[in-house]
Amino acid sequence: MQLKQQRGQLIILSGPSGAGKGTVCQAAMAHSSSLKISISATTRAPRGEEKDGVEYFFLDEAEFEKKIEEGAFLEYAKVHDHYYGTPKAHVLQMLDEGMNVILEIDVQGAAQIKEKLGFGILIFIAPPSIEVLKERLVNRQTDSDAQIQLRMKNAMSELKQATQYDYVIVNNTVDQAVADLEAIIRAEQCRSQNNLEIIEEMLM
């Protein structure tokens, strides 16, 4: 008898700018074919060789606002005159297919999504120290001193929210952070409530 495929895990990932969320996500996906990052929808125009359904789902403003009214987004925001949102149906479809889905969301959006869906693993990616965080931001060489100071101020506010998360991964090195992420996903997959259907099938 073939057992039913286990539903994927929803991983809601947050952390301050410079903590290395994006790097950890990309490295983790390179390790596992069952790990996917959710594609956001946006009203901004494609850049360069960006393709619809690959980097983003590109919608015009009327389409996006219609989907807001329909409740089609897990969360959305308007940034620099463009909408960005997480399509609910796309995420749920990947979970039903057994994929583990990462949503890289800010601390406000993370709480909203878990409350709306009633499930999800909240993981906070933290730097090993404030000094290392500032060093990483400076080494990017993409932000002005004023922008770096603003990001540092925002980071202090975001760090205060880490206690609201299920797990905290301190990103000393990317390899260790990925190993920690994979260990969390494996542990969550082994939770009793995630395997009750398998047990019940064996008892039938």
Side-chain angles (χ1 to χ4, degrees):
M1 178 179 67
Q2 187 173 2
L3 295 177
K4 185 178 178 181
Q5 177 179 270
Q6 190 181 55
R7 197 166 191 251
Q9 300 290 322
L10 178 65
I11 302 109
I12 303 168
L13 208 66
S14 305
S17 179
K21 302 183 296 297
T23 303
V24 170
C25 287
Q26 293 301 324
M29 286 199 304
H31 277 220
S32 172
S33 60
S34 68
L35 188 62
K36 302 293 181 184
I37 293 181
S38 174
I39 301 172
S40 296
T42 183
T43 56
R44 76 159 173 80
R47 295 170 184 162
E49 297 183 359
E50 288 181 338
K51 295 180 177 62
D52 182 57
V54 179
E55 286 80 13
Y56 286 95
F57 295 113
F58 293 102
L59 306 174
D60 63 35
E61 193 158 304
E63 288 176 309
F64 200 104
E65 290 178 344
K66 184 171 185 284
K67 288 185 178 295
I68 291 174
E69 292 175 4
E70 294 170 348
F73 295 112
L74 291 174
E75 57 81 39
Y76 70 92
K78 199 167 191 178
V79 183
H80 305 306
D81 296 325
H82 296 298
Y83 281 115
Y84 292 85
T86 303
K88 183 177 179 179
H90 177 63
V91 171
L92 295 180
Q93 179 183 343
M94 288 193 291
L95 292 174
D96 287 341
E97 292 172 355
M99 297 292 179
N100 296 315
V101 182
I102 291 181
L103 299 183
E104 191 181 324
I105 303 290
D106 64 26
V107 292
Q108 291 82 10
Q112 291 171 14
I113 288 175
K114 187 163 186 179
E115 183 178 356
K116 185 176 288 187
L117 289 179
F119 63 88
I121 310 164
L122 292 179
I123 303 176
F124 191 91
I125 303 291
S129 69
I130 290 297
E131 291 75 21
V132 169
L133 180 65
K134 185 171 184 179
E135 182 182 336
R136 288 176 180 173
L137 290 173
V138 170
N139 288 342
R140 282 180 176 181
Q141 297 181 335
T142 57
D143 295 330
S144 66
D145 288 344
Q147 288 172 321
I148 290 172
Q149 290 303 315
L150 178 60
R151 290 186 187 278
M152 290 298 295
K153 181 181 177 181
N154 291 339
M156 297 304 293
S157 176
E158 290 167 327
L159 286 166
K160 292 176 183 177
Q161 304 299 316
T163 57
Q164 306 301 314
Y165 282 68
D166 301 314
Y167 300 91
V168 173
I169 295 176
V170 178
N171 184 16
N172 282 295
T173 68
V174 173
D175 286 347
Q176 184 58 55
V178 169
D180 290 343
L181 177 60
E182 291 174 340
I184 290 169
I185 293 171
R186 284 196 298 272
E188 290 289 331
Q189 287 172 332
C190 292
R191 280 186 179 273
S192 58
Q193 64 263 34
N194 293 329
N195 291 280
L196 290 179
E197 287 189 21
I198 294 173
I199 300 299
E200 287 169 358
E201 284 188 20
M202 287 191 285
L203 292 173
M204 288 176 64

